């Protein structure tokens, strides 16, 4: 059983005008696909090839860097596609919205904290909304393809929402203007899915 590239539940142009179809096609079909291919290669003949991605992340310090980079890449992008969608103008509702307000004071303050985490991540990496073991919500960021499930992460927990701030995620449309990409990306977040993950975490 090899790891597989998940299909998107929406078309490559569904996130326009915020994220362009060509970026989506290259990002999913080339970049994510390469992480899956290289993860399978790196785990050839290893019993961990049968593990869930979550278990692999939790023990990632025992593996070579190719497994960390490509396994993280596979997990992170799978979550990224799931927590975006064509539904416009949505904001979190219900319990998650209440938890965010009690943590940050308001949804906009959460957005500021998360956007800053993404904008200030030096080089390539991710910004995260994380539910910790204690059930608290926190914002963090990681370098490269690391994530909060990894035993090597500074801030550990279940990622509810991740934002890819690698240049390949935005360069075609936004060039070097990462903050413009981040501002546009908020319009694509599928808060129903984020809520679902939060409840099951
Ligand atoms: Mn990417």
């Amino acid at each position: 059983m090899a790891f597989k590239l998940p299909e998107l539940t929406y078309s490559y142009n569904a996130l326009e005008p915020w994220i362009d179809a060509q970026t989506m096609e290259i990002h999913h079909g080339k970049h994510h696909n390469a992480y899956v291919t290289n993860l399978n290669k790196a785990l050839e003949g290893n019993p961990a090839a049968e593990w869930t991605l979550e278990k692999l992340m939790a023990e990632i310090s025992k593996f070579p860097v190719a497994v960390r980079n490509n396994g993280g890449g596979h997990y992170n992008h799978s979550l990224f596609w799931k927590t975006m969608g064509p539904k416009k103008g949505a904001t979190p509702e219900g319990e998650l919205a209440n938890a965010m307000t009690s943590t940050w004071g308001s949804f906009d303050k959460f957005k500021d904290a998360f956007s800053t985490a993404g904008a200030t991540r030096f080089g390539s990496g991710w910004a995260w909304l994380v539910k910790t073991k204690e059930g608290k919500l926190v914002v963090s960021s990681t370098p490269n393809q690391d994530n909060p499930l990894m035993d090597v992460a500074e801030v550990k927990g279940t990622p509810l929402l991740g934002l890819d701030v690698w240049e390949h995620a935005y360069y075609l449309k936004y060039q070097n203007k990462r903050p413009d990409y981040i501002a546009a990306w908020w319009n694509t977040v599928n808060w129903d899915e984020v809520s679902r993950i939060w409840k099951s975490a």
Side-chain angles (χ1 to χ4, degrees):
M1 272 282 287
F3 291 102
K4 270 205 200 133
L5 181 70
E7 278 184 36
L8 298 188
T9 57
Y10 45 84
S11 61
Y12 284 141
N13 65 7
L15 306 181
E16 293 201 352
W18 321 112
I19 300 179
D20 60 288
Q22 193 187 9
T23 295
M24 286 298 294
E25 189 176 351
I26 296 170
H27 201 174
H28 175 261
K30 306 284 186 201
H31 289 279
H32 189 173
N33 195 44
Y35 296 128
V36 174
T37 303
N38 292 328
L39 175 63
N40 287 328
K41 239 182 250 169
L43 286 178
E44 228 166 50
N46 190 317
E50 305 293 325
W51 291 5
T52 63
L53 270 178
E54 285 79 2
K55 179 173 163 63
L56 189 62
M57 297 297 104
E59 301 189 27
I60 204 70
S61 62
K62 299 173 184 164
F63 290 87
V65 70
V67 176
R68 178 169 168 177
N69 288 341
N70 293 294
H74 181 30
Y75 178 87
N76 296 352
H77 289 84
S78 299
L79 179 70
F80 191 50
W81 312 132
K82 262 202 317 193
T83 52
M84 292 193 288
K87 193 174 153 192
K88 302 286 193 290
T91 53
E93 286 168 12
E95 284 176 48
L96 176 61
N98 295 339
M100 292 172 94
T101 304
S102 71
T103 304
W104 286 282
S106 68
F107 177 64
D108 282 343
K109 283 188 185 149
F110 152 72
K111 269 175 81 173
D112 285 347
F114 188 101
S115 297
T116 300
T120 59
R121 163 51 55 189
F122 183 78
S124 298
W126 291 74
W128 301 103
L129 170 63
V130 181
K131 186 178 185 182
T132 67
K133 215 168 64 238
E134 296 77 31
K136 290 206 168 78
L137 289 174
V138 291
V139 161
S140 73
S141 83
T142 54
N144 305 316
Q145 295 294 357
D146 286 1
N147 65 52
L149 289 177
M150 290 183 174
D151 57 356
V152 294
E154 258 174 67
V155 176
K156 292 184 192 61
T158 304
L160 308 181
L161 178 65
L163 170 59
D164 189 344
V165 296
W166 283 56
E167 282 187 345
H168 68 225
Y170 62 87
Y171 207 81
L172 287 180
K173 186 175 170 77
Y174 297 97
Q175 293 82 48
N176 61 325
K177 299 183 285 283
R178 188 190 286 182
D180 291 4
Y181 154 68
I182 295 174
W185 168 81
W186 286 112
N187 294 290
T188 72
V189 176
N190 178 351
W191 286 107
D192 292 346
E193 181 62 18
V194 179
S195 279
R196 198 194 59 72
I197 300 168
W198 180 72
K199 277 183 198 145
S200 64

